[in-house]
Amino acid sequence: MTTTIKYTNSDGVLVSLEQAERLKFYNKETYNNGLLKKIEKFGLKNRDSDETLLRSIEYYLDTDEVFEDIVNQYITTVKYLYVYYDMITNTNGDVYYEYVLYTYGNIDFKRRKVVNNEGLLLAICLVDLNTNEIKKQAKYFYGDLSIYKRVNYEDPFLVISYENDEVSTLYIYDNDYTLSEFLSSDISNVFIWNDYPYYHNFLPMLPEDITV
């Protein structure tokens, strides 16, 4: 197995170890055989301190690893521990994860999310820790910047919220719409609803083709 270490600043730009250690906030990324294994995030201890410490860990579980063993290994070393598991990748390079957050050693929440091959968030939801019910369902559309205007490339053009797998609101340009309001608005001439069936329901979260 080949292990590679990369360092990035708070904007995700690659830096050297020497540069990273001079920053107030930086990330240490570990890759095994080219696949992301762990992200250790460092930052200032507090606003009044120049001391930098490990603030959080994102760990990507392999199928041959035991979830509880990894949690026990890291849970006392960091304030925030994210453990990602059940990873599924489609042919477009979109990746589905389920993950949990531990804060000060206690489980905080469980979520599921999908990111595309550029790391942009496509879908996310909260999973009830007791009932496993899916809550706070949302999907995100970005699109070509020359067509779908937005401030930054990482910002979504359209955010769609769902309840019980059905569209509840569409958020665009600081306005909320019901689906019927959106379809009767001028914006529907830019985002052609019928061309994007992925967004018609929350499930499936992982796109089945390249139409997103």
Side-chain angles (χ1 to χ4, degrees):
M1 180 175 65
T2 302
T3 299
T4 304
I5 305 295
K6 298 180 182 179
Y7 296 90
T8 61
N9 63 20
S10 57
D11 293 322
V13 178
L14 283 173
V15 296
S16 66
L17 172 59
E18 292 75 15
Q19 291 172 320
E21 291 178 336
R22 292 196 295 268
L23 297 173
K24 295 180 180 179
F25 297 92
Y26 70 92
N27 308 314
K28 178 183 177 181
E29 302 177 2
T30 301
Y31 296 81
N32 289 342
N33 295 330
L35 298 176
L36 181 61
K37 183 62 182 173
K38 181 171 59 174
I39 302 177
E40 297 164 274
K41 296 191 174 185
F42 295 82
L44 294 179
K45 182 177 182 180
N46 54 57
R47 293 180 180 179
D48 301 319
S49 173
D50 291 329
E51 180 184 355
T52 300
L53 48 71
L54 178 61
R55 297 172 61 89
S56 69
I57 292 176
E58 297 178 10
Y59 191 93
Y60 295 82
L61 197 71
D62 288 335
T63 55
D64 60 350
E65 292 180 303
V66 178
F67 181 93
E68 291 78 10
D69 291 346
I70 299 303
V71 171
N72 291 334
Q73 179 179 346
Y74 290 104
I75 201 169
T76 59
T77 66
V78 67
K79 178 179 178 180
Y80 301 111
L81 171 64
Y82 298 82
V83 183
Y84 289 76
Y85 54 95
D86 286 348
M87 184 180 76
I88 304 171
T89 303
N90 67 13
T91 56
N92 304 325
D94 306 316
V95 185
Y96 165 92
Y97 297 102
E98 186 166 302
Y99 66 103
V100 294
L101 167 64
Y102 290 85
T103 304
Y104 290 118
N106 297 311
I107 190 166
D108 197 334
F109 62 69
K110 179 193 292 186
R111 283 183 179 153
R112 296 169 183 162
K113 74 174 183 179
V114 175
V115 296
N116 67 12
N117 56 14
E118 298 177 82
L120 299 177
L121 182 64
L122 292 182
I124 193 166
C125 68
L126 185 68
V127 182
D128 189 283
L129 293 172
N130 297 314
T131 66
N132 226 35
E133 180 185 358
I134 299 176
K135 301 179 177 180
K136 297 183 178 179
Q137 308 162 15
K139 285 185 174 179
Y140 303 82
F141 175 82
Y142 300 87
D144 188 331
L145 269 176
S146 64
I147 302 172
Y148 304 101
K149 305 296 183 183
R150 51 195 195 276
V151 177
N152 299 304
Y153 182 76
E154 297 81 7
D155 296 332
F157 172 78
L158 178 65
V159 179
I160 304 174
S161 298
Y162 305 80
E163 291 184 8
N164 299 320
D165 196 40
E166 301 291 333
V167 174
S168 59
T169 57
L170 299 94
Y171 180 80
I172 184 171
Y173 295 146
D174 297 326
N175 291 309
D176 286 321
Y177 299 84
T178 65
L179 181 56
S180 60
E181 289 171 341
F182 178 82
L183 293 175
S184 62
S185 70
D186 291 339
I187 301 174
S188 65
N189 296 321
V190 179
F191 182 88
I192 310 301
W193 180 253
N194 287 336
D195 289 348
Y196 296 94
Y198 171 69
Y199 296 95
H200 293 183
N201 298 89
F202 183 68
L203 297 176
M205 290 181 66
L206 186 65
E208 297 176 351
D209 51 48
I210 205 167
T211 59
V212 297

